[in-house]
Amino acid sequence: MQQGRIYPLTSLDVRVRVLLLIPVSIAAMLITDETLLCCLFALAAVWLLMFGLHKKALAYILVYAALWAVLFPLREMQIPGSIPLLTVYVRRIIIAVMGAAPVMSAPTGRLIASLHRMKLPKTAVLSLAVFFRFMPTVSMEYRCIREAQKFRGIGTSIAGVLLHPFLTAECILVPMLMRTSKVADELAASVSVRGMQLEGECSSLHEVRMGAVDWLVLVLGFTAVAVLFAADRSIGGSV
Amino acid sequence: MIRLKNVSFRYEAAKEPSLRDIDFTVKRGEFVILTGLSGCGKTTLTRVLNGLCPRFYGGEITGSYTLDGMDTAGMTLNEIGTKIGNVFQDPRSQFFATNTTDETALAMENRNYSPALMRSRINEVADMLGIRELLDRDIFGMSSGEKQKIAIAAACCVHPDVLILDEPSANLDPESTSQLAGFLKTLKELGMTIIVSEHRLYYLSELADRMIVMEKGRVKREFPHDQMSALTEGELTELGLRFLKLPEINRPERSSQREDSFLTVDDITFKRGRTCVLNRISMSAERGKILAITGRNGVGKSTLCKVITGIYRERSGSVLYYGGKLSPRKRVNSSFFVGQDADYQLYGATAREELLINMGKAPELAEKAEMLLTRFDLSEYSERHPASLSGGQKQRLLIAAAIMRERPLLVLDEPTSGLDGKHMRDLAVLLREAADSGLCILIVTHDTEFIALAADEVMNLQRDK
């Protein structure tokens, strides 16, 4: 996580991030016009940059551009089946994932406090908090497993993976499940003895208050997505 | 403060009880060490004390447990948790928050403290432990020692009467371990009752009022401070324990290169993002020798070994095996890395199959696997699923897999974290045999006792400023 440097939206209320995720992901799925979809993607990229998530933004831009570049030749060649479809849908999913990134980058304490203030049921708050706490762990565990497999020649060559896809998957999934279930168990034990439970009131160290900037970003965000959406409807769109 | 009477506990899925007839009293302000061989039941005992058994880890408990004069039978985890603070072993799985201050506040938030009270408690505990500079930081970027300090602070904020720590030194370097001892001393002087389940005894020997040695779920011996201090190395070895004093290490320090070495690392630089993790490191190692790589938490020891074995690609410099420069891919095929967590590294359906993965089906190989299983004391488990083996057995199985592949270089990352005295000594013997058969062995370790037993040479990795 970036420390010391403050980006324009670093301290944006987590609720705004969660609320804006909703229209962005809906629009990402429903906008039909290619140009407008690209506009939405550009907005999402700017959104990430304002949180200082430069690397993520760059990675998504590259993937998006690559998919876009192959989409039209594929159509020209009239290749049937799932590949052209993939280039359409993966790009839409990327936009939604980009919308979620600033939620994940929020410190868990702030996230929980905000979700509480949104009056979500406690089960939902805890599940979401655990989910976001787990994302970095899962990717770390995955890396460790892949590193260890290199020494046993498992899944190291493309040919090997293609010849034995199930074996490769099993060799990743089994240790992954073992590890994550163990970590999950220990994590749950550690928060249970610290009084985390489904009943009862709890408080929050962070004061959560919507400031002027938070409202402004919320309104601007909604408006931008609404304008794109309206434009798309009026054109009629074409996929 | 704590009184257990005839307590036995059996985990739901287990046939045998993990604790049998434990009678055990701890007075207020007392400092107690729980120790014993791996699997002796000391972790289960700490779980009974903090209420996780049977409230979280289901099972059958008999006998009585009173805490501060109250019968715990009717108490919830939350109620026990206000009296007992906990520090668990693995820093990766005990933190819920990503920010240190949030983590410290968690137990108080769950109990509905006001924000003002939380802030004052956090500051109070941070001052008491001298860790103000660690507040409001990202936990994922911290060293193990720093994480452990945050875990202790988080446990102390609700002012518990008792603090229970489960192998708190397992991932710490010697300097962080002595800082941990300082923390525990401060807390003891404040009158806190402290129970530490631990294999490493040296840093606790001055502090402890009593040491309890467990075996097969029972309390085997109890030593008050004076008797404990009088234990000889022979007696400790007999009990399977580690020693009370750290040995002197006078191994030749190895840092320069030699012309004729098996492994030569020449001027390696490795960066992660913009951070330079390894800056112009050179070293060498021989076949038939065990080289211990030491250095503080976070100095880049594991990273260096991952570059040497080819998992990471160096930014500049070269790694030579037998004087020839090898690409990372070739290095992976000439070495074997045994990481800290065996669960990542086992893929077979049985222990035997584990040795034969991707090895082909030649009958000589099956024979060789059989021989290795026997040599590593694993033949009776050859049909078992590797995940069902104990920690020590998994580790032996991995070393056997390395020898099976006839890789000349074997690297072990912190092989003795969490190992008791007996298993640590056994591992030293096993690695010596492996080295004598011609392997070049590198061990990343903080464990001074193990270095004294196993290493031929020591290299201390330092971060240059």
Side-chain angles (χ1 to χ4, degrees):
Chain A
M1 228 156 275
Q2 284 82 8
Q3 254 175 21
R5 276 191 75 176
I6 303 293
Y7 294 90
L9 295 182
T10 303
S11 55
L12 185 77
D13 195 297
V14 183
R15 284 171 293 176
V16 178
R17 309 181 194 196
V18 176
L19 285 175
L20 281 178
L21 174 58
I22 300 165
V24 168
S25 34
I26 293 175
M29 293 305 145
L30 295 184
I31 285 182
T32 45
D33 184 74
E34 268 302 332
T35 327
L36 291 173
L37 195 63
C38 286
C39 289
L40 184 67
F41 175 79
L43 272 180
V46 173
W47 180 238
L48 291 194
L49 292 178
M50 289 173 84
F51 287 95
L53 302 167
H54 296 99
K55 264 195 190 158
K56 272 201 175 138
L58 184 68
Y60 289 129
I61 290 171
L62 289 176
V63 176
Y64 191 90
L67 288 172
W68 207 64
V70 297
L71 170 64
F72 295 100
L74 280 175
R75 258 192 210 157
E76 288 292 303
M77 291 187 279
Q78 298 200 318
I79 292 177
S82 52
I83 295 174
L85 265 178
L86 268 181
T87 62
V88 175
Y89 285 103
V90 171
R91 279 184 306 140
R92 292 171 186 272
I93 291 166
I94 286 178
I95 296 177
V97 171
M98 288 167 83
V103 181
M104 295 202 213
S105 74
T108 21
R110 257 178 205 289
L111 180 73
I112 295 178
S114 307
L115 294 175
H116 268 306
R117 286 293 294 268
M118 291 171 83
K119 303 272 185 257
L120 286 178
K122 205 165 177 185
T123 359
V125 174
L126 288 186
S127 327
L128 276 173
V130 168
F131 175 75
F132 288 122
R133 160 67 176 73
F134 242 78
M135 295 300 284
T137 314
V138 170
S139 67
M140 214 147 65
E141 307 282 322
Y142 175 78
R143 249 201 328 273
C144 288
I145 292 169
R146 297 296 285 164
E147 283 175 6
Q149 287 181 337
K150 286 189 176 177
F151 296 98
R152 316 289 283 276
I154 300 171
T156 42
S157 66
I158 298 167
V161 174
L162 290 176
L163 278 173
H164 309 284
F166 293 109
L167 183 69
T168 314
E170 187 188 315
C171 286
I172 294 172
L173 282 179
V174 172
M176 189 99 162
L177 289 175
M178 305 272 292
R179 276 294 307 166
T180 38
S181 73
K182 195 173 155 207
V183 172
D185 232 31
E186 288 176 6
L187 187 64
S190 127
V191 293
S192 307
V193 295
R194 286 187 283 165
M196 195 178 272
Q197 51 188 349
L198 290 175
E199 311 86 48
E201 280 292 299
C202 60
S203 57
S204 171
L205 182 67
H206 297 284
E207 231 179 298
V208 187
R209 228 185 19 222
M210 292 278 285
V213 178
D214 299 313
W215 283 112
L216 185 71
V217 172
L218 185 63
V219 172
L220 279 179
F222 260 101
T223 318
V225 178
V227 166
L228 286 179
F229 199 68
D232 185 62
R233 290 293 104 145
S234 68
I235 299 170
S238 65
V239 179
Chain B
M1 189 72 217
I2 288 173
R3 179 187 293 275
L4 295 183
K5 246 191 184 153
N6 282 323
V7 169
S8 300
F9 180 80
R10 187 176 57 82
Y11 285 103
E12 231 156 31
K15 288 192 195 99
E16 295 287 306
S18 298
L19 294 178
R20 298 161 196 261
D21 304 320
I22 303 279
D23 267 306
F24 163 70
T25 318
V26 180
K27 292 197 284 284
R28 189 177 284 275
E30 207 178 2
F31 192 122
V32 179
I33 307 176
L34 293 176
T35 191
L37 297 181
S38 304
C40 68
K42 58 188 192 314
T43 297
T44 307
L45 181 53
T46 63
R47 285 174 179 171
V48 165
L49 293 175
N50 60 27
L52 284 172
C53 288
R55 291 168 192 76
F56 184 87
Y57 298 103
E60 190 190 332
I61 191 162
T62 55
S64 77
Y65 166 22
T66 47
L67 173 64
D68 202 11
M70 282 183 290
D71 186 5
T72 56
M75 288 166 87
T76 63
L77 259 184
N78 187 15
E79 286 162 346
I80 298 176
T82 53
K83 296 200 172 292
I84 298 183
N86 292 277
V87 177
F88 297 99
Q89 186 187 340
D90 191 344
R92 281 173 304 179
S93 57
Q94 67 176 309
F95 290 118
F96 188 73
T98 46
N99 171 286
T100 52
T101 306
D102 290 351
E103 179 66 24
T104 320
L106 188 75
M108 298 189 284
E109 290 180 330
N110 290 330
R111 282 153 188 142
N112 207 7
Y113 284 35
S114 73
L117 178 60
M118 283 193 257
R119 297 225 173 260
S120 80
R121 281 285 178 86
I122 291 173
N123 289 332
E124 171 203 313
V125 170
D127 285 340
M128 178 176 87
L129 300 174
I131 55 160
R132 252 179 193 275
E133 76 283 0
L134 295 185
L135 291 182
D136 213 13
R137 280 179 45 187
D138 177 31
I139 290 184
F140 281 101
M142 297 178 102
S143 76
S144 309
E146 290 172 330
K147 283 178 186 161
Q148 201 63 271
K149 288 175 190 169
I150 292 298
I152 294 176
C156 290
C157 272
V158 289
H159 287 179
D161 300 311
V162 184
L163 188 64
I164 297 178
L165 302 98
D166 191 10
E167 292 188 40
S169 78
N171 298 301
L172 302 188
D173 60 37
E175 195 179 319
S176 305
T177 307
S178 68
Q179 285 173 6
L180 170 68
F183 267 42
L184 295 176
K185 185 160 186 268
T186 311
L187 295 173
K188 183 185 176 182
E189 282 161 3
L190 288 168
M192 200 180 263
T193 310
I194 298 172
I195 299 171
V196 189
S197 157
E198 190 52 288
H199 292 303
R200 292 183 187 163
L201 304 175
Y202 75 90
Y203 76 102
L204 300 171
S205 56
E206 291 296 312
L207 288 168
D209 299 310
R210 196 148 49 108
M211 177 167 83
I212 292 175
V213 182
M214 294 183 64
E215 190 184 81
K216 293 179 184 150
R218 295 177 196 274
V219 172
K220 187 185 184 194
R221 301 282 294 275
E222 275 194 63
F223 301 98
H225 180 83
D226 296 337
Q227 281 182 34
M228 177 182 117
S229 312
L231 284 170
T232 63
E233 296 196 344
E235 287 169 316
L236 289 162
T237 309
E238 186 116 334
L239 288 164
L241 303 180
R242 287 168 175 250
F243 296 157
L244 298 166
K245 286 206 175 58
L246 277 189
E248 289 284 318
I249 296 201
N250 37 19
R251 293 288 187 284
E253 169 83 16
R254 179 158 189 143
S255 57
S256 59
Q257 290 162 265
R258 275 174 237 164
E259 297 265 304
D260 53 344
S261 296
F262 158 66
L263 169 75
T264 311
V265 172
D266 188 21
D267 214 16
I268 284 286
T269 299
F270 180 80
K271 290 183 178 170
R272 190 173 288 128
R274 268 179 231 153
T275 331
C276 186
V277 186
L278 299 172
N279 187 16
R280 312 197 62 179
I281 303 290
S282 295
M283 59 169 280
S284 61
E286 312 295 333
R287 289 188 84 152
K289 290 263 171 74
I290 302 177
L291 172 65
I293 300 177
T294 62
R296 297 184 57 175
N297 283 121
V299 78
K301 305 183 291 293
S302 300
T303 310
L304 173 63
C305 288
K306 286 182 177 175
V307 172
I308 290 175
T309 51
I311 300 179
Y312 295 160
R313 179 182 291 274
E314 61 281 1
R315 189 64 69 95
S316 67
S318 49
V319 179
L320 302 92
Y321 286 29
Y322 285 126
K325 188 174 168 176
L326 288 191
S327 67
R329 184 175 260 266
K330 289 205 170 120
R331 300 206 293 266
V332 165
N333 292 330
S334 310
S335 60
F336 200 95
F337 189 99
V338 179
Q340 265 189 61
D341 221 307
D343 293 333
Y344 294 131
Q345 305 165 59
L346 297 167
Y347 314 104
T350 64
R352 179 182 295 117
E353 200 181 286
E354 191 66 50
L355 297 184
L356 293 167
I357 288 180
N358 274 348
M359 294 288 287
K361 293 201 163 48
E364 311 88 80
L365 288 171
E367 235 168 73
K368 188 174 171 196
E370 248 13 89
M371 186 207 84
L372 281 171
L373 286 170
T374 313
R375 185 172 137 205
F376 284 80
D377 228 354
L378 292 165
S379 45
E380 58 180 303
Y381 308 104
S382 60
E383 292 301 324
R384 286 257 297 263
H385 194 282
S388 70
L389 302 176
S390 76
Q393 289 165 341
K394 287 179 190 167
Q395 195 177 46
R396 292 209 296 277
L397 186 59
L398 277 171
I399 297 172
I403 295 176
M404 183 80 200
R405 273 149 210 274
E406 297 181 352
R407 305 277 167 89
L409 176 65
L410 174 63
V411 179
L412 298 104
D413 193 359
E414 295 289 355
T416 59
S417 99
L419 277 197
D420 57 57
K422 178 180 182 297
H423 288 96
M424 174 186 72
R425 289 174 197 118
D426 291 351
L427 179 66
V429 172
L430 196 121
L431 289 180
R432 173 56 55 203
E433 284 174 16
D436 287 344
S437 74
L439 260 67
C440 170
I441 302 182
L442 305 183
I443 309 172
V444 172
T445 186
H446 297 304
D447 192 336
T448 316
E449 290 179 80
F450 186 60
I451 295 172
L453 277 173
D456 297 304
E457 293 170 309
V458 178
M459 183 186 109
N460 188 14
L461 191 63
Q462 276 163 343
R463 172 149 297 172
D464 43 18
K465 301 272 151 54

